[in-house]
Amino acid sequence: MTLLVISPDYASHYGPLAVMARAAQQAGRRVVIATGHSLRPRVKVEGFEWRELNLAASSNSGVVTRNASIDRFLAATRQGPLDTIRYQAMQRQVDLLWNPEQVVGSVTALYKDLEPEEVLVDHVSFGSTLAMYAIGEDFMTLVPGHPSQLPVGKERYGIPAEWPACMRPDNEQLNEVERLADTVTAAFTDRWNSALAMVAPERPPVEDAFRVHGRRVLYNSVSRYHSALRSAELSLDHRFVGPLVREETLPENMDAWRDKKDNRPQIYVALGTFLSHRIDVLARVAEALRKVGARAAMAIGSMPKHDLGTVPDDWVVSRELPQVAMLRYADLAIHHGGNNSVQECLGTGVRQLVLPFSTDQFANATDLERVGVATVLSPNEMSATELSEAIIAQLDTVKPGPEPGMTQAGVNEALFE
């Protein structure tokens, strides 16, 4: 039996899909990963078949250098959550459905060639969803981020239904952003349906392209952190399969991170691929960690290390770090609330302090805050002193145990039964 996995050429999206693919491969299934050239080496190293599939004009292998687009996004994050959501809503009109007719043609040819028994599609890869819908064959959807990335009920794509206590927006401003989201959703759906009419005129148009999904929806999340009110509105055929956490070992040159030699807390810091460019926030985090007297590991992307201020000799500061492996030996993680980071913290059993900036990070932070497993601070408004106090308070809480991931048998049941 063949499983075809369609992944955007982005490391953060490929990661959870690859965990699902690994379980299928270990069960004896043939696994083919269709994605772009940026991820080809990683796909090959991990032992999967790779097929070329271009789904966007850009790619992201894990670290990116600043450009005009990133600078505009960063400027929006400095203004606050609603400015960021407004900026990202406008970008969706051009970013999320790249060359749809070409993508549909490529996916159709790939499907006919492989004749897979199952197809797993990343929900945020809307061109792939369009292609599978146009073909008219069954597929499954993995929601890589917070479950609200696939809206239900009165939700709007890209706008949190709930907010962390420290950053609840003004209702009038929120209503304005919601109206913008409705306009963008309508325009995006019109474009989706226009492409559909070109490639598969016999297929019916959809009401909301952001809500289209396969016959089964898989969530890279743990059900007990999910809002009970929201759960009542989910698709009938859905599974919570998270945390989807990759296997990763600590390199030998980082043995000092494994072998604690004193009682100083070990704190891991990462703000994700794009938000690592918020060096002002990372510098404040570094200042707070010095106040606490912690041993730190900080992933800073392409930002210059000297902007952090004085870096103690026993800190680990690098462009990239083996996040999962390092979390296993951390007392606390400070991160942006991206779903991969949230699930990896849950899967490794580490305390969390969340600094949300954009997209589904607000919803992830709200879930963690609601069940009392994380502290949430506004990254733009916190001071180094407030952050150091929050760090000390979190370190005084009981360290959580690792959240068990789905077994291999469970993953295969979700994929093939």
Side-chain angles (χ1 to χ4, degrees):
M1 294 181 70
T2 298
L3 170 67
L4 170 62
V5 178
I6 299 177
S7 173
D9 201 10
Y10 297 102
S12 59
H13 288 253
Y14 170 73
L17 288 165
V19 175
M20 299 288 290
R22 174 69 62 206
Q25 186 184 63
Q26 290 173 345
R29 318 282 184 177
R30 178 193 180 195
V31 176
V32 179
I33 309 287
T35 188
H37 279 275
S38 174
L39 288 176
R40 179 182 180 181
R42 184 166 167 181
V43 171
K44 293 284 192 178
V45 165
E46 294 179 359
F48 302 122
E49 292 184 45
W50 174 82
R51 294 293 184 93
E52 181 179 2
L53 181 61
N54 296 313
L55 298 171
S58 61
S59 63
N60 174 11
S61 60
V63 174
V64 297
T65 55
R66 288 180 66 163
N67 56 42
S69 176
I70 291 175
D71 283 343
R72 288 191 293 271
F73 167 67
L74 295 175
T77 67
R78 291 187 178 93
Q79 294 300 312
L82 290 184
D83 287 88
T84 306
I85 287 173
R86 186 181 295 108
Y87 172 78
Q88 292 185 304
M90 296 301 295
Q91 290 299 109
R92 288 187 190 107
Q93 297 185 84
V94 295
D95 285 353
L96 293 187
L97 204 60
W98 176 81
N99 289 355
E101 294 87 355
Q102 175 184 317
V103 170
V104 171
S106 298
V107 172
T108 301
L110 191 62
Y111 187 89
K112 288 180 178 179
D113 179 44
L114 295 173
E115 297 184 345
E117 280 73 24
E118 294 292 353
V119 180
L120 181 62
V121 173
D122 181 318
H123 170 63
V124 183
S125 178
F126 294 103
S128 305
T129 299
L130 169 62
M132 292 307 302
Y133 182 88
I135 293 171
E137 298 287 350
D138 279 346
F139 67 102
M140 282 181 281
T141 296
L142 176 69
V143 180
H146 187 272
S148 60
Q149 282 192 323
L150 180 58
V152 297
K154 296 180 180 180
E155 293 176 348
R156 294 167 169 86
Y157 182 81
I159 297 185
E162 297 180 272
W163 291 81
C166 65
M167 49 177 52
R168 288 173 184 152
D170 173 81
N171 283 336
E172 185 175 342
Q173 292 180 327
L174 179 59
N175 290 339
E176 182 269 323
V177 174
E178 288 175 342
R179 289 191 292 272
L180 173 62
D182 290 340
T183 300
V184 170
T185 296
F188 181 76
T189 301
D190 285 347
R191 187 172 178 226
W192 201 94
N193 282 327
S194 294
L196 178 67
M198 291 286 292
V199 297
E202 72 283 0
R203 298 287 285 152
V206 302
E207 293 184 5
D208 184 340
F210 289 127
R211 296 181 182 233
V212 181
H213 58 78
R215 65 175 176 83
R216 176 175 295 163
V217 177
L218 309 177
Y219 294 106
N220 179 23
S221 301
V222 180
S223 60
R224 72 185 185 93
Y225 296 96
H226 189 248
S227 164
L229 292 176
R230 193 175 188 280
S231 293
E233 301 198 70
L234 297 180
S235 165
L236 290 178
D237 193 351
H238 71 270
R239 310 285 176 88
F240 283 88
V241 296
L244 296 175
V245 180
R246 65 190 178 278
E247 293 294 328
E248 192 172 66
T249 57
L250 198 65
E252 291 183 3
N253 64 350
M254 293 186 178
D255 279 346
W257 185 253
R258 178 191 293 110
D259 304 324
K260 295 184 180 181
K261 296 181 180 178
D262 52 39
N263 292 323
R264 294 169 62 205
Q266 296 201 155
I267 299 178
Y268 179 87
V269 181
L271 299 183
T273 303
F274 299 103
L275 291 165
S276 63
H277 291 284
R278 282 295 305 269
I279 195 67
D280 57 320
V281 176
L282 284 173
R284 250 177 292 151
V285 172
E287 182 182 351
L289 294 174
R290 288 191 291 266
K291 286 177 179 287
V292 172
R295 178 183 293 109
M298 302 183 70
I300 62 170
S302 60
M303 299 308 293
K305 180 178 176 179
H306 60 75
D307 283 349
L308 296 175
T310 302
V311 175
D313 291 340
D314 62 354
W315 283 21
V316 181
V317 178
S318 180
R319 286 168 58 90
E320 291 182 276
L321 290 171
Q323 178 160 303
V324 173
M326 300 197 80
L327 286 174
R328 297 190 190 282
Y329 303 98
D331 297 299
L332 171 69
I334 300 174
H335 61 83
H336 59 309
N339 200 48
N340 281 346
S341 292
V342 169
Q343 300 306 316
E344 288 163 6
C345 286
L346 293 177
T348 54
V350 64
R351 302 175 186 88
Q352 301 184 60
L353 201 161
V354 185
L355 311 175
F357 294 81
S358 67
T359 54
D360 63 338
Q361 296 161 22
F362 307 116
N364 276 321
T366 301
D367 282 352
L368 296 173
E369 185 177 63
R370 184 181 59 251
V371 298
V373 298
T375 297
V376 183
L377 296 178
S378 171
N380 288 337
E381 298 174 2
M382 68 181 186
S383 67
T385 298
E386 289 169 332
L387 179 56
S388 64
E389 291 171 352
I391 290 170
I392 292 169
Q394 260 299 316
L395 290 171
D396 282 341
T397 64
V398 176
K399 189 174 183 180
E403 195 71 50
M406 184 171 278
T407 64
Q408 178 181 318
V411 171
N412 279 284
E413 178 186 354
L415 286 173
F416 295 102
E417 295 183 13

